[in-house]
Amino acid sequence: MRDLLVAAQTEESDTAREQTKAEQDVDQVRQRAARDQQRLDSGAVTSPKDLENLQREITSLAKRQGDLEDVVLEVMERRESAQERVAELTERVTSVQSKIDDATARRDAAFEEIDGEVATVTKEREVIAGSIPADLLKLYDKLRGQQGGVGAAKLYARSCQGCRQELAITELAEIRKAAPDTVVRCENCRRILVRTSESGL
Ligand SMILES: [Zn+2]
């Protein structure tokens, strides 16, 4: 839209120049006709042939002036429509720009909020990670790297929430027997399984 606006502004200034030029042409013809008329009125020209020529020139200049005035009118019309386009496009550019400004402000606010959340969550994670045995944390981080950012998953209704697979009966039986602090893993995706009251054991 800015490109269209620049094009319309260029057309406006071009037609403004064209209008000045056309008006100067009209002026020139008008001045010449006035000079001729003065000479005619002064009585200085007496020869019938010269008078006829002068009269003919005045008539032809009047015709020429009319034609040139039509050109001025035509240029003015084009200039006016260019001015209208400039006004319309200026309004549209302003309106789109204000939408951009608004979206930018909302995006920046969202960034700020997300940054704040990241800082909070990072701090929380540090605290929790500090309370987890080093070897378990190492295993978790390794799995997290291999499994798209999720190293541990809830065992929910006999299914691993990491890979969404239901565990085999024998696997469930083993998990049931395992001590509460034993680290159990999903047979399928190898993620650490977190047992809860909803695990279906
Ligand atoms: Zn799994």
Side-chain angles (χ1 to χ4, degrees), residues 121 125 129 136-152 185 189-192:
V121 171
R125 188 193 187 275
L136 179 55
L137 191 62
K138 202 174 148 192
L139 172 67
Y140 168 77
D141 279 335
K142 192 181 103 186
L143 289 167
R144 198 161 80 105
Q146 290 168 349
Q147 299 288 358
V150 181
R185 314 258 302 265
C189 69
R190 305 302 297 148
R191 286 187 179 95
I192 296 164

Side-chain angles (χ1 to χ4, degrees), residues 21-39:
K21 171 78 178 59
E23 282 167 348
Q24 283 167 350
D25 290 347
V26 170
D27 264 356
Q28 255 175 5
V29 171
R30 194 189 289 130
Q31 278 164 23
R32 201 168 145 194
R35 274 199 306 274
D36 284 355
Q37 191 62 51
Q38 252 174 359
R39 278 181 69 205

Side-chain angles (χ1 to χ4, degrees), residues 45-145:
V45 182
T46 49
S47 134
K49 194 175 182 304
D50 288 348
L51 279 171
E52 197 189 317
N53 281 341
L54 202 54
Q55 195 65 62
R56 195 179 298 126
E57 189 176 279
I58 288 168
T59 309
S60 122
L61 285 171
K63 163 87 173 64
R64 175 98 183 107
Q65 188 180 331
D67 290 347
L68 288 171
E69 279 166 351
D70 286 347
V71 171
V72 171
L73 286 176
E74 184 267 327
V75 173
M76 276 170 76
E77 267 169 33
R78 273 194 286 128
R79 190 182 174 187
E80 262 169 44
S81 73
Q83 282 168 335
E84 275 164 25
R85 260 205 309 286
V86 168
E88 190 203 319
L89 285 165
T90 302
E91 203 183 300
R92 279 164 70 187
V93 166
T94 308
S95 144
V96 172
Q97 187 58 55
S98 87
K99 277 187 197 143
I100 292 170
D101 292 346
D102 183 53
T104 305
R106 280 186 288 124
R107 182 204 62 190
D108 290 348
F111 269 150
E112 214 171 294
E113 203 181 308
I114 291 164
D115 286 348
E117 246 172 83
V118 167
T120 308
V121 171
T122 304
K123 208 166 275 172
E124 275 172 18
R125 188 193 187 275
E126 266 169 35
V127 173
I128 294 166
S131 71
I132 288 172
D135 55 344
L136 179 55
L137 191 62
K138 202 174 148 192
L139 172 67
Y140 168 77
D141 279 335
K142 192 181 103 186
L143 289 167
R144 198 161 80 105

Side-chain angles (χ1 to χ4, degrees), residues 160 163 186 188-189:
C160 165
C163 64
C186 172
N188 182 51
C189 69

Side-chain angles (χ1 to χ4, degrees), residues 153-165:
K154 205 196 254 187
L155 177 60
Y156 178 80
R158 292 193 289 275
S159 288
C160 165
Q161 293 296 286
C163 64
R164 308 272 159 186
Q165 293 278 318

